[in-house]
């Protein structure tokens, strides 16, 4: 269906649909939420700006409700469309001492792109880290050049190559249409699941909201995530005052640009969960947390004894957030993956391509990472409100691929005509940036998008280097 010409009305409807029966209030989103400015239009048939406004708006409204439960006061929420659009890839606008930063190492990353298979499908391999890059090149037995990758992938049938990638635990899928994905067992399963899934996993006593200077200043959040989506859940909670402690394995750190983006508002410590002493320390930290966020391959932390059920036993009443690539149940439950694979399997990449030609990811390149982070933060707030009303520990589940499916549900721009040469996504985008001094020098970064009328959203801490702090609560 076509997107409504009124993006504010459409975004409020998307929020109402997104939260559905989980929404702990009776008034419509438009009663508290105001969008302002002009909604930027990207060179895409998908409603990217709309999706950003809706995801961030959903989170902000749940924070506003939490503040009312704690203090009896009401607020309104304001979102600038320009800031919302820029939030899909804020790292593009980020500078360090006046210089932009590459997303990943251009020297070591696999030359990821869509490559033709022997049966004329389009395969997208990812090797964002040296071990993944080496695994892909070893499997394909080729050099890390587009021409060599194209020749090697062209010798495989799509299903066989996808299976071979999974057997080697490598991220890569072939592009499907929306209809194909919905017929796939994993796609059909995800279509039946909510965008934000919240499950009660254990009993505990109710915990009423505790008044503080800021909406979430009484909350402790343990961030066990990596790369983007998981840490964005925790970063979003930090912008409303939560104490967030980021835990990073010292031998598997995130790329630099992602670190200084997603570490804003947090303290950062090293723990190696393969070491018994560090694992014990992680369990002690869970015991003092209200929220635990993780975004590793499904089952990884549970096998170490710090999965959702284990966390609920350690800390009754915990809100545990899992961010996955393809969901954590079904035939693809244990597959790892990255942002672009969600776009590839669900039909977004095919819709983005020129008719009959090569698929493309959305012009912002990133879509699911940030949206899923905002949606996961909204899930945390909904679970906290359920805990306040009825007690219990809760498992909040979001996935990159389910987020792509949600974006598709918002409708297409029917008059959009894909161009052979796509203009750069940031053309015409001039978001407001804030300047902060940090251990990395002077940074310019996108501030929190949603602003509440009584309690301004901001990060109290600049991004810290990984491992800069002790693994302890303040």
């Amino acid at each position: 269906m076509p997107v409504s010409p009124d993006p504010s009305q459409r975004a409020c409807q998307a929020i109402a649909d997104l939260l559905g029966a989980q929404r702990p209030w009776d008034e419509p989103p438009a009663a508290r939420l105001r969008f302002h400015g002009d909604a930027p239009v990207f060179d895409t048939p998908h409603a990217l700006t709309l999706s950003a406004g809706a995801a961030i708006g959903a989170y902000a409204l749940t924070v506003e409700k939490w503040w009312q439960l704690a203090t009896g006061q009401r607020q309104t929420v304001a979102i600038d469309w320009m800031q919302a659009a820029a939030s899909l890839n804020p790292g593009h606008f980020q500078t360090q001492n006046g210089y932009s930063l590459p997303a990943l190492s251009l020297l070591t990353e696999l030359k990821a792109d869509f490559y033709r298979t022997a049966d004329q499908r389009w395969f997208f391999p990812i090797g964002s880290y040296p071990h993944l890059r080496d695994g892909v090149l070893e499997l394909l037995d080729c050099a890390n050049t587009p021409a060599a990758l194209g020749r090697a992938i062209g010798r495989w049938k799509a299903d066989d190559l996808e299976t071979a990638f999974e057997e080697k635990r490598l991220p890569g899928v072939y592009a499907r249409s929306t209809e194909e994905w919905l017929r796939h067992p994993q796609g059909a399963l995800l279509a039946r699941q909510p965008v934000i899934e919240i499950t009660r996993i254990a009993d505990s006593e109710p915990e009423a909201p505790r008044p503080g200077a800021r909406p979430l200043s009484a909350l402790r959040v343990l961030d066990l995530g990596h790369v983007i989506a998981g840490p964005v859940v925790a970063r979003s909670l930090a912008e409303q005052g939560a104490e967030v402690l980021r835990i990073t394995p010292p031998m598997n750190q995130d790329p630099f640009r992602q670190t200084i983006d997603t570490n804003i508002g947090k303290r950062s410590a090293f723990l190696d969960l393969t070491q018994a002493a560090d694992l014990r320390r992680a369990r002690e930290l869970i015991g003092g947390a209200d929220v635990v966020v993780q975004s590793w391959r499904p089952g990884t932390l549970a096998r170490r004894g710090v999965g959702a059920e284990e966390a609920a036993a350690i800390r009754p009443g915990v809100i545990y957030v899992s961010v996955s690539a393809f969901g954590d149940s079904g035939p693809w439950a244990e597959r790892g993956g990255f942002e672009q694979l969600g776009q590839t399997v669900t039909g977004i990449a095919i819709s983005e391509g020129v008719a009959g030609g090569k698929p493309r990811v959305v012009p912002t390149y990133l879509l699911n990472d940030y949206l899923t982070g905002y949606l996961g933060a909204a899930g945390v707030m909904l679970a906290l409100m359920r805990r306040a009303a009825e007690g219990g520990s809760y498992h909040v589940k979001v996935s990159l691929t389910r987020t792509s499916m949600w974006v598709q549900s918002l409708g297409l721009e029917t008059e959009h005509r894909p161009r052979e040469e796509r203009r750069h996504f940031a053309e015409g985008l001039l978001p407001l940036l804030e300047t902060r001094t940090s251990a990395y020098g002077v940074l310019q970064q996108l501030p929190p998008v949603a602003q509440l009328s009584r309690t301004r959203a901001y990060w109290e801490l600049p991004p810290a280097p990984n491992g800069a702090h002790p693994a302890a609560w303040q």
Side-chain angles (χ1 to χ4, degrees), residues 348-372:
I348 281 184
I350 286 180
S351 296
E352 288 286 335
V354 177
K358 186 177 180 179
R360 299 186 293 194
V361 296
V362 295
T364 51
Y365 194 70
L366 302 180
L367 174 69
N368 302 312
D369 273 331
Y370 286 91
L371 289 181
T372 304

Side-chain angles (χ1 to χ4, degrees), residues 246-267:
R246 174 87 182 268
I247 298 298
T248 297
M251 301 306 292
N252 191 10
Q253 299 182 42
D254 287 354
F256 180 67
R257 188 169 90 165
Q258 278 83 353
T259 294
I260 61 175
D261 173 37
T262 61
N263 271 11
I264 310 175
K266 309 173 184 179
R267 291 181 303 115

Side-chain angles (χ1 to χ4, degrees), residues 175-197:
R176 293 163 169 84
S177 68
T178 303
E179 294 73 23
E180 284 181 301
W181 179 242
L182 292 176
R183 290 195 300 268
H184 188 281
Q186 194 68 29
L189 174 67
L190 287 176
R192 296 192 297 269
Q193 295 178 343
V195 179
I196 305 169
E197 184 177 359

Side-chain angles (χ1 to χ4, degrees), residues 192-463:
R192 296 192 297 269
Q193 295 178 343
V195 179
I196 305 169
E197 184 177 359
I198 303 174
T199 305
R200 180 170 173 150
I201 57 174
D203 295 332
S204 71
E205 293 298 315
E207 298 183 38
R210 289 165 286 175
R214 303 179 65 194
L216 305 186
S217 57
L219 293 182
R220 284 178 171 173
V221 179
L222 185 64
D223 180 2
L224 298 175
H226 72 124
V227 197
I228 297 179
V232 169
V233 175
R235 189 191 70 176
S236 300
L237 301 172
E239 75 182 41
Q240 299 294 342
E243 178 190 349
V244 180
L245 178 62
R246 174 87 182 268
I247 298 298
T248 297
M251 301 306 292
N252 191 10
Q253 299 182 42
D254 287 354
F256 180 67
R257 188 169 90 165
Q258 278 83 353
T259 294
I260 61 175
D261 173 37
T262 61
N263 271 11
I264 310 175
K266 309 173 184 179
R267 291 181 303 115
S268 177
F270 281 149
L271 285 179
D272 180 355
L273 299 189
T274 67
Q275 303 296 317
D278 283 10
L279 186 58
R280 285 195 298 272
R281 184 64 193 134
R283 292 172 64 87
E284 292 169 358
L285 291 171
I286 290 172
D290 294 281
V291 180
V292 177
V293 182
Q294 71 88 18
S295 54
W296 296 92
R297 186 187 290 253
T300 299
L301 294 192
R303 286 189 287 271
R304 301 197 185 285
V306 286
E309 284 73 19
E310 294 84 2
I314 296 168
R315 197 294 195 198
V318 74
I319 310 301
Y320 193 98
V321 184
S322 292
V323 180
S324 63
F326 302 104
D328 67 352
S329 60
W332 282 23
E334 293 198 11
R335 291 197 182 201
F338 290 80
E339 149 80 51
Q340 295 76 26
L341 301 191
Q343 298 182 44
T344 299
V345 295
T346 59
I348 281 184
I350 286 180
S351 296
E352 288 286 335
V354 177
K358 186 177 180 179
R360 299 186 293 194
V361 296
V362 295
T364 51
Y365 194 70
L366 302 180
L367 174 69
N368 302 312
D369 273 331
Y370 286 91
L371 289 181
T372 304
Y374 306 140
L375 294 170
V380 168
M381 301 310 304
L382 293 170
L384 285 170
M385 284 184 264
R386 284 187 60 183
R387 186 183 76 175
E390 59 189 78
S393 298
Y394 294 88
H395 194 179
V396 178
K397 302 176 187 178
V398 287
S399 81
L400 304 178
T401 301
R402 186 64 183 88
T403 296
S404 269
M405 297 168 72
W406 172 66
V407 172
Q408 290 174 305
S409 76
L410 300 179
L412 297 176
E413 298 282 5
T414 56
E415 296 184 1
H416 177 266
R417 296 291 181 269
R419 309 177 186 197
E420 291 285 353
E421 293 297 326
R422 171 176 272 167
R423 68 175 183 266
H424 193 274
F425 86 88
E427 183 179 325
L429 277 187
L430 296 172
L432 174 69
L433 303 177
E434 61 185 9
T435 302
R436 57 173 54 86
T437 302
S438 74
Y440 301 108
V442 178
L443 302 177
Q444 277 200 312
Q445 296 172 301
L446 194 77
V449 175
Q451 288 298 332
L452 278 65
S453 57
R454 287 179 179 266
T455 56
R456 181 175 66 89
Y458 65 94
W459 291 295
E460 294 181 355
L461 300 173

